[in-house]
Amino acid sequence: TLDEGARADLQGNANWMKANPSVRIQIEGHCDNRGTIEYNVALGERRANAVRTYMMGLGIPGDRLSIISYGEEKPLVMGDSDEAFAKNRRANFVPVQ
């Protein structure tokens, strides 16, 4: 689920995309290192899809939003603390050509 802060961030991203209609975005789904590789890849995909669906609800056409899941393969921070886990559970936006 998307919390209030995430929804606010995504609204800002949607506004930027509306102002830049030629830009396409790849949404990268990431998670922490708990769970199996298969589970984490699936979780990252669900996370990226949730963001894509929300962005489409904000008026961004689906053909401008692709997804990919990296699971636990590209952590933002290393470590096994709750803080590290939280930072690694994310969806990144990457412009594509």
Side-chain angles (χ1 to χ4, degrees):
T1 59
L2 299 170
D3 65 23
E4 202 60 36
R7 287 191 296 271
D9 289 344
L10 293 174
Q11 180 65 61
N13 290 351
N15 292 342
W16 185 87
M17 288 189 74
K18 288 175 183 176
N20 296 278
S22 65
V23 175
R24 295 176 37 92
I25 297 291
Q26 181 172 31
I27 304 166
E28 299 177 338
H30 300 271
C31 40
D32 60 44
N33 63 355
R34 297 175 292 181
T36 66
I37 291 172
E38 295 82 10
Y39 175 82
N40 286 336
V41 168
L43 180 59
E45 184 174 343
R46 289 193 306 273
R47 181 167 284 128
N49 270 319
V51 169
R52 182 178 185 269
T53 299
Y54 190 78
M55 293 290 288
M56 289 170 57
L58 295 175
I60 304 302
D63 63 353
R64 293 182 60 200
L65 303 165
S66 60
I67 66 160
I68 190 168
S69 174
Y70 288 109
E72 64 185 74
E73 296 302 313
K74 293 186 173 188
L76 186 62
V77 296
M78 300 304 289
D80 291 327
S81 67
D82 287 341
E83 183 180 350
F85 292 150
K87 287 182 179 181
N88 288 327
R89 295 187 302 263
R90 68 196 192 282
N92 290 344
F93 280 51
V94 179
V96 293
Q97 302 297 0

